[in-house]
Amino acid sequence: MTRQQIKEDILGLLRGTGREGIEQTIGYILGSTYFTAHCHRHHRDEGGLARHSLEACRWALSRRGGIPADSVVIATLLHDLCTARSRRSAGIGGHGRRSVRILEDVCHLPLTGEEREAILLHMHKEALFLKGNPLARLVWLADKTSAAGRVPLRDSSAA
């Protein structure tokens, strides 16, 4: 997939949630380095953050069971939002906590308790053992599966 296709897919998925605050969140993303940034020690190429986020989202959507699709989209596409640089988020520290604060305080995107917890714990193995939040487990697994390179993106129009 090209970076433009990845961008279009991500924006379409986010808009498809129909959530309050989603347009402000998209505005934040477009004003940041979300579509050009690399991602941690994996997905180190230009645009790696967006590719990783879309890989995690597609993997999780295909395994979501009864978890609401909009929660899966928001938690997977935005779990590493703090990795994107923006003047609007200067001074907010932490990783998962920083992503949540950007979403809630800067973008004014109301998160459910499950979404907040999933983003906060996406790097912590205890997410696997949360009995009351299957979204946190799904996001953790999707993040790790994509980071390991096991979710190749394919152009959905080329099949």
Side-chain angles (χ1 to χ4, degrees), residues 34-120:
Y34 183 91
F35 292 108
T36 57
H38 68 273
C39 193
H40 312 298
R41 290 181 293 273
H42 57 85
H43 294 78
R44 297 281 307 161
D45 57 318
E46 184 175 336
L49 171 60
R51 175 177 286 279
H52 164 63
S53 299
L54 185 56
E55 287 173 359
C57 182
R58 285 188 176 177
W59 187 90
L61 283 171
S62 72
R63 292 159 175 81
R64 71 182 176 89
I67 302 169
D70 64 324
S71 287
V72 173
V73 167
I74 286 170
T76 55
L77 290 181
L78 304 174
H79 74 280
D80 280 333
L81 182 62
C82 65
T83 304
R85 299 286 176 239
S86 171
R87 287 177 288 153
R88 292 174 57 197
S89 61
I92 300 173
H95 184 70
R97 185 177 77 246
R98 184 167 187 242
S99 291
V100 166
R101 287 201 48 214
I102 291 167
L103 290 168
E104 293 182 330
D105 299 344
V106 177
C107 300
H108 306 289
L109 179 70
L111 298 172
T112 67
E114 291 80 12
E115 293 162 355
R116 184 179 303 106
E117 189 172 51
I119 294 169
L120 286 170

XYZ file of all heavy atoms in Angstrom, residues 34-120:
677
model
N 1.852 12.467 12.268
C 1.275 11.121 12.329
C 1.526 10.324 11.050
O 1.838 9.136 11.116
C -0.231 11.232 12.593
C -0.960 9.906 12.751
C -1.108 9.329 14.000
C -1.522 9.254 11.661
C -1.793 8.131 14.172
C -2.210 8.050 11.813
C -2.327 7.503 13.059
O -3.008 6.313 13.224
N 1.398 10.938 9.893
C 1.533 10.207 8.631
C 2.964 10.147 8.110
O 3.222 9.482 7.110
C 0.592 10.786 7.572
C -0.847 10.528 7.890
C -1.675 11.554 8.317
C -1.384 9.251 7.796
C -3.012 11.321 8.628
C -2.711 8.998 8.109
C -3.524 10.038 8.525
N 3.905 10.802 8.785
C 5.306 10.755 8.344
C 6.240 10.168 9.398
O 7.349 9.758 9.066
C 5.802 12.170 7.968
O 5.641 13.039 9.094
C 5.045 12.704 6.766
N 5.796 10.117 10.648
C 6.657 9.664 11.744
C 6.961 8.171 11.657
O 6.176 7.388 11.128
C 5.984 9.964 13.092
N 8.119 7.798 12.220
C 8.420 6.375 12.392
C 7.843 5.945 13.738
O 7.344 6.771 14.496
C 9.920 6.106 12.307
C 10.695 6.681 13.443
N 11.168 7.964 13.449
C 11.055 6.148 14.632
C 11.808 8.198 14.591
N 11.752 7.121 15.324
N 7.915 4.660 14.027
C 7.286 4.139 15.236
C 8.272 3.309 16.045
O 8.624 2.198 15.654
C 6.059 3.304 14.853
S 4.992 2.929 16.247
N 8.744 3.860 17.140
C 9.558 3.143 18.128
C 10.729 2.402 17.485
O 11.393 2.925 16.601
C 8.691 2.202 18.971
C 7.455 2.837 19.494
N 7.471 3.913 20.351
C 6.148 2.570 19.257
C 6.228 4.270 20.637
N 5.415 3.478 19.985
N 10.936 1.172 17.900
C 12.026 0.362 17.371
C 11.570 -0.484 16.181
O 12.360 -1.179 15.574
C 12.590 -0.545 18.468
C 13.337 0.244 19.529
C 13.914 -0.653 20.595
N 12.901 -1.302 21.415
C 12.364 -0.777 22.506
N 12.707 0.412 22.914
N 11.476 -1.448 23.195
N 10.307 -0.447 15.863
C 9.756 -1.163 14.713
C 9.156 -0.126 13.776
O 8.977 1.032 14.162
C 8.708 -2.185 15.157
C 7.584 -1.590 15.944
N 6.475 -1.025 15.355
C 7.408 -1.433 17.287
C 5.657 -0.575 16.281
N 6.190 -0.807 17.476
N 8.864 -0.488 12.574
C 8.267 0.435 11.602
C 9.063 1.749 11.563
O 8.531 2.836 11.712
C 6.790 0.691 11.936
C 5.926 -0.519 11.786
N 5.893 -1.516 12.723
C 5.077 -0.893 10.806
C 5.047 -2.455 12.340
N 4.538 -2.098 11.162
N 10.368 1.609 11.347
C 11.295 2.738 11.441
C 11.337 3.597 10.179
O 12.033 4.586 10.136
C 12.709 2.238 11.736
C 12.856 1.521 13.056
C 12.943 2.406 14.240
N 13.976 3.414 14.091
C 14.011 4.519 14.809
N 13.091 4.760 15.701
N 14.972 5.390 14.633
N 10.589 3.243 9.154
C 10.599 4.026 7.926
C 9.659 5.226 8.035
O 8.836 5.301 8.944
C 10.195 3.156 6.739
C 8.825 2.518 6.924
O 8.533 2.050 8.039
O 8.037 2.489 5.964
N 9.787 6.166 7.091
C 8.873 7.306 7.068
C 7.450 6.794 6.878
O 7.186 5.973 6.013
C 9.238 8.261 5.936
C 8.388 9.506 5.942
C 8.817 10.528 4.907
O 9.987 10.501 4.494
O 7.971 11.344 4.519
N 6.552 7.243 7.717
C 5.170 6.777 7.669
C 4.926 5.510 8.462
O 3.824 4.954 8.446
N 5.926 5.054 9.196
C 5.817 3.812 9.958
C 4.744 3.845 11.043
O 4.096 2.834 11.312
N 4.549 5.001 11.670
C 3.519 5.115 12.706
C 2.138 4.841 12.123
O 1.360 4.060 12.676
C 3.558 6.510 13.347
C 2.403 6.857 14.290
C 2.341 5.886 15.462
C 2.541 8.295 14.774
N 1.832 5.449 10.996
C 0.525 5.247 10.365
C 0.362 3.804 9.900
O -0.692 3.193 10.101
C 0.346 6.216 9.196
N 1.414 3.236 9.304
C 1.353 1.842 8.839
C 1.115 0.914 10.023
O 0.246 0.037 9.972
C 2.631 1.455 8.106
C 2.680 -0.010 7.705
C 3.937 -0.333 6.913
N 3.839 0.204 5.574
C 3.168 -0.388 4.572
N 2.545 -1.527 4.793
N 3.128 0.142 3.389
N 1.860 1.078 11.094
C 1.710 0.240 12.287
C 0.295 0.364 12.854
O -0.344 -0.641 13.186
C 2.740 0.640 13.341
C 2.448 0.138 14.720
N 2.394 -1.210 15.024
C 2.176 0.802 15.870
C 2.109 -1.350 16.313
N 1.973 -0.143 16.841
N -0.208 1.578 12.932
C -1.545 1.803 13.488
C -2.607 1.123 12.642
O -3.523 0.476 13.179
C -1.816 3.306 13.593
O -0.877 3.913 14.451
N -2.491 1.223 11.322
C -3.465 0.589 10.434
C -3.348 -0.932 10.484
O -4.364 -1.636 10.486
C -3.301 1.093 9.001
C -4.340 0.589 7.998
C -5.768 0.915 8.436
C -4.049 1.162 6.612
N -2.133 -1.445 10.557
C -1.959 -2.898 10.700
C -2.639 -3.401 11.967
O -3.374 -4.399 11.940
C -0.466 -3.256 10.751
C 0.258 -3.151 9.446
C 1.760 -3.343 9.584
O 2.263 -3.538 10.711
O 2.434 -3.290 8.547
N -2.392 -2.713 13.082
C -3.003 -3.112 14.354
C -4.526 -3.045 14.253
O -5.226 -3.952 14.719
C -2.491 -2.218 15.485
N -5.028 -1.998 13.625
C -6.475 -1.828 13.502
C -7.098 -2.953 12.680
O -8.088 -3.560 13.098
C -6.773 -0.475 12.872
S -8.532 -0.120 12.734
N -6.534 -3.235 11.529
C -7.106 -4.287 10.675
C -7.052 -5.642 11.363
O -8.001 -6.424 11.290
C -6.361 -4.334 9.337
C -6.736 -3.189 8.431
C -6.132 -3.395 7.090
N -6.541 -2.375 6.147
C -6.095 -2.319 4.925
N -5.233 -3.211 4.481
N -6.498 -1.368 4.113
N -5.934 -5.941 12.015
C -5.803 -7.214 12.725
C -6.871 -7.312 13.814
O -7.559 -8.323 13.938
C -4.396 -7.332 13.319
C -4.096 -8.657 13.922
C -3.547 -9.737 13.298
C -4.343 -9.061 15.284
N -3.431 -10.780 14.193
C -3.915 -10.397 15.407
C -4.878 -8.418 16.392
C -4.000 -11.100 16.604
C -4.969 -9.118 17.585
C -4.530 -10.449 17.677
N -7.019 -6.245 14.591
C -7.977 -6.262 15.698
C -9.419 -6.316 15.199
O -10.249 -7.030 15.776
C -7.763 -5.039 16.585
N -9.737 -5.593 14.146
C -11.100 -5.623 13.611
C -11.489 -7.024 13.161
O -12.644 -7.438 13.319
C -11.261 -4.634 12.456
C -11.408 -3.172 12.844
C -11.341 -2.282 11.607
C -12.699 -2.927 13.622
N -10.535 -7.766 12.635
C -10.839 -9.117 12.155
C -11.009 -10.114 13.300
O -11.442 -11.243 13.075
C -9.751 -9.604 11.195
O -8.552 -9.889 11.884
N -10.691 -9.692 14.536
C -10.769 -10.582 15.698
C -11.570 -9.982 16.843
O -11.479 -10.438 17.972
C -9.352 -10.896 16.189
C -8.566 -11.731 15.214
C -7.058 -11.599 15.455
N -6.309 -12.477 14.598
C -6.009 -12.205 13.333
N -6.408 -11.088 12.766
N -5.307 -13.060 12.606
N -12.388 -8.985 16.591
C -13.013 -8.206 17.658
C -14.149 -8.899 18.376
O -14.509 -8.521 19.487
C -13.472 -6.858 17.139
C -14.666 -6.910 16.224
C -15.023 -5.516 15.726
N -16.107 -5.556 14.784
C -17.387 -5.483 15.098
N -17.746 -5.358 16.360
N -18.311 -5.528 14.166
N -14.743 -9.938 17.787
C -15.868 -10.588 18.439
C -16.970 -9.587 18.702
O -17.384 -8.859 17.813
N -17.418 -9.476 19.937
C -18.504 -8.573 20.280
C -18.067 -7.175 20.698
O -18.885 -6.368 21.131
N -16.792 -6.863 20.570
C -16.299 -5.535 20.936
C -16.757 -4.540 19.864
O -16.601 -4.805 18.671
C -14.758 -5.533 21.056
C -14.306 -6.557 22.100
C -14.251 -4.133 21.397
C -12.809 -6.811 22.109
N -17.303 -3.395 20.248
C -17.765 -2.420 19.251
C -16.644 -1.992 18.298
O -15.531 -1.669 18.738
C -18.250 -1.240 20.099
C -18.550 -1.822 21.441
C -17.568 -2.950 21.622
N -16.951 -1.978 17.017
C -15.954 -1.643 15.995
C -15.389 -0.241 16.202
O -14.184 -0.026 16.011
C -16.556 -1.785 14.599
N -16.225 0.719 16.604
C -15.703 2.078 16.772
C -14.674 2.138 17.894
O -13.665 2.844 17.773
C -16.826 3.095 16.986
C -17.622 2.881 18.262
O -17.844 1.725 18.659
O -18.043 3.894 18.855
N -14.846 1.366 18.935
C -13.855 1.320 20.016
C -12.549 0.698 19.539
O -11.462 1.163 19.890
C -14.391 0.533 21.210
O -15.377 1.271 21.887
N -12.652 -0.344 18.731
C -11.449 -0.981 18.175
C -10.699 0.010 17.298
O -9.476 0.154 17.393
C -11.808 -2.262 17.394
C -10.589 -2.822 16.672
C -12.414 -3.303 18.321
N -11.419 0.708 16.428
C -10.793 1.674 15.519
C -10.094 2.772 16.315
O -8.924 3.079 16.076
C -11.841 2.266 14.548
C -11.305 3.487 13.820
C -12.294 1.204 13.554
N -10.780 3.358 17.254
C -10.203 4.462 18.025
C -8.991 4.002 18.832
O -7.938 4.630 18.801
C -11.280 5.120 18.904
C -12.180 5.954 17.982
C -10.678 5.950 20.024
C -13.416 6.482 18.605
N -9.120 2.903 19.534
C -8.026 2.447 20.397
C -6.803 1.988 19.609
O -5.672 2.250 20.025
C -8.511 1.334 21.322
N -7.007 1.337 18.467
C -5.841 0.853 17.708
C -5.203 1.960 16.871
O -3.984 2.084 16.843
C -6.194 -0.337 16.810
O -7.293 0.025 15.965
C -6.516 -1.570 17.631
N -6.008 2.748 16.192
C -5.430 3.797 15.341
C -4.792 4.916 16.152
O -3.908 5.613 15.658
C -6.483 4.386 14.403
C -6.973 3.488 13.281
C -7.994 4.226 12.420
C -5.813 2.987 12.419
N -5.194 5.084 17.397
C -4.731 6.221 18.181
C -3.893 5.843 19.396
O -3.485 6.711 20.166
C -5.942 7.067 18.599
C -6.811 7.548 17.416
C -8.072 8.244 17.929
C -6.022 8.436 16.478
N -3.580 4.551 19.562
C -2.846 4.133 20.763
C -1.446 4.733 20.845
O -0.928 4.962 21.926
C -2.793 2.601 20.875
C -1.868 1.929 19.923
N -2.202 1.680 18.610
C -0.619 1.441 20.094
C -1.194 1.061 18.007
N -0.215 0.910 18.886
N -0.820 5.022 19.713
C 0.524 5.614 19.692
C 0.503 7.058 19.208
O 1.504 7.564 18.707
C 1.445 4.793 18.777
C 1.989 3.549 19.440
O 2.124 3.522 20.676
O 2.298 2.588 18.712
N -0.620 7.730 19.343
C -0.742 9.107 18.857
C 0.346 10.007 19.425
O 0.825 10.921 18.754
C -2.129 9.667 19.200
C -2.422 11.077 18.707
C -2.360 11.143 17.175
C -3.786 11.540 19.194
N 0.772 9.737 20.632
C 1.792 10.572 21.266
C 3.123 10.532 20.522
O 3.957 11.412 20.696
C 1.998 10.148 22.713
S 2.676 8.494 22.870
N 3.328 9.545 19.675
C 4.559 9.441 18.897
C 4.620 10.521 17.819
O 5.701 10.937 17.415
C 4.657 8.034 18.265
O 4.561 7.069 19.316
C 5.954 7.833 17.536
N 3.467 10.983 17.349
C 3.409 12.056 16.351
C 3.704 13.383 17.039
O 3.192 13.654 18.122
C 2.041 12.087 15.690
N 4.511 14.181 16.425
C 4.870 15.480 16.994
C 3.873 16.552 16.575
O 3.473 16.610 15.416
C 6.270 15.901 16.525
C 7.357 14.941 16.938
C 7.642 15.082 18.427
N 8.626 14.093 18.828
C 8.414 13.172 19.752
N 7.258 13.093 20.368
N 9.350 12.323 20.081
N 3.517 17.390 17.553
C 2.623 18.510 17.301
C 2.890 19.581 18.347
O 3.107 19.260 19.517
C 1.162 18.077 17.389
O 0.315 19.198 17.358
N 2.861 20.833 17.933
C 3.024 21.930 18.894
C 1.905 21.926 19.923
O 2.083 22.372 21.042
C 3.036 23.274 18.166
C 4.314 23.510 17.390
C 4.254 24.812 16.644
N 3.322 24.613 15.536
C 2.609 25.559 14.974
N 2.701 26.787 15.393
N 1.790 25.297 13.983
N 0.743 21.391 19.556
C -0.426 21.422 20.447
C -0.294 20.478 21.638
O -1.063 20.569 22.590
C -1.685 21.090 19.659
C -2.025 22.191 18.652
C -3.165 21.837 17.756
N -4.364 21.521 18.497
C -5.394 20.869 17.974
N -5.380 20.479 16.728
N -6.459 20.614 18.698
N 0.659 19.553 21.606
C 0.784 18.600 22.714
C 2.093 18.757 23.478
O 2.451 17.904 24.271
C 0.658 17.165 22.191
O 1.696 16.889 21.266
N 2.802 19.849 23.256
C 4.060 20.077 23.970
C 3.815 20.088 25.468
O 2.834 20.646 25.946
C 4.684 21.391 23.523
N 4.689 19.418 26.198
C 4.605 19.423 27.650
C 3.784 18.302 28.266
O 3.728 18.181 29.481
N 3.151 17.478 27.448
C 2.385 16.350 27.975
C 3.317 15.136 27.966
O 3.797 14.730 26.913
C 1.122 16.068 27.138
C 0.203 17.286 27.135
C 0.391 14.842 27.681
C -0.988 17.156 26.205
N 3.592 14.564 29.134
C 4.552 13.470 29.231
C 3.910 12.101 29.238
O 2.697 11.962 29.253
N 4.755 11.060 29.222
C 4.294 9.676 29.258
C 4.030 9.123 27.867
O 4.145 9.836 26.882
N 3.681 7.850 27.766
C 3.390 7.263 26.456
C 1.889 7.025 26.324
O 1.185 7.826 25.725
C 4.187 5.972 26.227
C 3.982 5.407 24.863
N 4.477 6.009 23.733
C 3.306 4.327 24.435
C 4.100 5.308 22.667
N 3.395 4.281 23.068
N 1.379 5.938 26.885
C -0.055 5.697 26.820
C -0.835 6.834 27.456
O -1.830 7.314 26.914
N -0.336 7.306 28.593
C -0.987 8.421 29.286
C -0.976 9.675 28.411
O -1.951 10.422 28.354
C -0.283 8.686 30.612
C -0.972 9.745 31.455
C -0.303 9.941 32.815
N 0.913 10.731 32.655
C 2.146 10.285 32.878
N 2.345 9.063 33.299
N 3.185 11.071 32.719
N 0.095 9.889 27.693
C 0.193 11.062 26.820
C -0.808 10.960 25.673
O -1.472 11.935 25.328
C 1.616 11.190 26.287
C 1.824 12.421 25.462
C 3.315 12.675 25.227
N 3.450 13.950 24.575
C 3.966 14.118 23.375
N 4.421 13.089 22.687
N 4.049 15.316 22.847
N -0.949 9.780 25.073
C -1.930 9.606 24.003
C -3.341 9.895 24.508
O -4.124 10.571 23.831
C -1.849 8.191 23.416
O -0.649 8.015 22.701
N -3.670 9.393 25.684
C -5.002 9.631 26.255
C -5.212 11.119 26.518
O -6.268 11.670 26.181
C -5.208 8.803 27.544
C -6.427 9.281 28.323
C -5.340 7.329 27.205
N -4.236 11.788 27.085
C -4.384 13.224 27.380
C -4.530 14.041 26.102
O -5.307 14.993 26.061
C -3.210 13.712 28.221
C -3.335 13.176 29.649
C -2.575 13.933 30.695
N -2.765 15.355 30.636
C -1.791 16.221 30.950
N -0.597 15.781 31.313
N -2.021 17.514 30.906
N -3.785 13.687 25.058
C -3.933 14.395 23.782
C -5.351 14.211 23.260
O -6.005 15.168 22.852
C -2.892 13.900 22.753
C -1.486 14.331 23.163
C -3.234 14.413 21.349
C -0.371 13.634 22.379
N -5.828 12.973 23.271
C -7.170 12.698 22.752
C -8.248 13.428 23.551
O -9.141 14.046 22.971
C -7.438 11.194 22.741
C -6.631 10.428 21.709
C -6.727 8.931 21.956
C -7.094 10.778 20.302
N -8.164 13.356 24.873
C -9.220 13.933 25.698
C -9.078 15.441 25.899
O -10.064 16.168 25.821
C -9.275 13.224 27.052
C -9.720 11.781 26.919
C -9.837 11.047 28.232
O -9.099 11.367 29.187
O -10.683 10.138 28.302
N -7.870 15.923 26.141
C -7.681 17.329 26.509
C -7.405 18.239 25.316
O -7.783 19.403 25.338
C -6.537 17.468 27.517
C -6.801 16.724 28.812
O -7.964 16.354 29.067
O -5.835 16.505 29.565
N -6.735 17.729 24.298
C -6.393 18.549 23.135
C -7.423 18.369 22.021
O -7.910 19.340 21.454
C -4.966 18.221 22.623
C -4.634 19.025 21.377
C -3.931 18.469 23.722
N -7.777 17.124 21.718
C -8.722 16.840 20.627
C -10.177 16.845 21.084
O -11.077 16.886 20.252
C -8.402 15.480 20.004
S -6.746 15.376 19.312
N -10.404 16.759 22.386
C -11.760 16.716 22.954
C -12.556 15.520 22.420
O -13.738 15.633 22.115
C -12.501 18.038 22.727
C -11.718 19.212 23.226
N -11.541 19.457 24.572
C -11.028 20.168 22.561
C -10.774 20.534 24.717
N -10.453 20.972 23.523
N -11.870 14.388 22.334
C -12.509 13.130 21.922
C -12.878 12.365 23.195
O -11.996 11.890 23.910
C -11.557 12.284 21.063
C -12.102 10.942 20.595
C -13.198 11.158 19.543
C -10.983 10.085 20.013
N -14.165 12.247 23.497
C -14.557 11.492 24.681
C -14.252 9.995 24.479
O -14.714 9.393 23.516
C -16.068 11.725 24.789
C -16.383 12.852 23.864
C -15.317 12.844 22.814
N -13.450 9.440 25.362
C -13.133 8.015 25.317
C -13.997 7.279 26.331
O -14.304 7.803 27.399
C -11.658 7.785 25.671
C -10.620 8.404 24.754
C -9.227 8.242 25.345
C -10.687 7.786 23.363
N -14.348 6.049 25.995
C -15.002 5.208 26.993
C -13.936 4.760 27.992
O -12.732 4.856 27.721
C -15.641 3.960 26.349
O -14.595 3.113 25.848
C -16.616 4.334 25.225
N -14.367 4.258 29.129
C -13.411 3.739 30.105
C -12.563 2.618 29.533
O -11.364 2.522 29.797
N -13.181 1.761 28.705
C -12.450 0.646 28.100
C -11.411 1.142 27.104
O -10.288 0.630 27.048
C -13.422 -0.321 27.399
C -14.309 -1.104 28.338
C -15.517 -0.307 28.836
O -15.820 0.787 28.285
O -16.152 -0.777 29.797
N -11.765 2.153 26.301
C -10.815 2.707 25.332
C -9.631 3.353 26.046
O -8.477 3.136 25.670
C -11.502 3.744 24.438
C -12.537 3.143 23.518
C -13.516 4.143 22.939
O -13.490 5.349 23.305
O -14.342 3.717 22.108
N -9.934 4.130 27.076
C -8.878 4.790 27.848
C -7.924 3.749 28.430
O -6.704 3.865 28.317
C -9.503 5.633 28.958
C -8.503 6.440 29.766
C -9.167 7.283 30.855
N -10.169 8.179 30.306
C -11.496 8.003 30.427
N -11.973 6.950 31.087
N -12.340 8.867 29.918
N -8.481 2.727 29.053
C -7.650 1.688 29.666
C -6.845 0.935 28.612
O -5.669 0.621 28.823
C -8.536 0.729 30.454
C -7.763 -0.244 31.304
C -8.683 -1.042 32.208
O -9.682 -1.619 31.711
O -8.398 -1.095 33.415
N -7.441 0.646 27.463
C -6.737 -0.072 26.390
C -5.543 0.737 25.893
O -4.455 0.184 25.671
C -7.696 -0.377 25.240
N -5.720 2.037 25.719
C -4.614 2.881 25.258
C -3.555 3.006 26.349
O -2.355 2.896 26.073
C -5.141 4.261 24.814
C -6.024 4.106 23.563
C -3.970 5.215 24.527
C -6.816 5.343 23.182
N -3.977 3.196 27.581
C -3.027 3.314 28.688
C -2.166 2.067 28.847
O -0.971 2.156 29.148
C -3.770 3.578 30.002
C -4.340 4.963 30.200
C -5.239 4.995 31.427
C -3.231 6.003 30.318
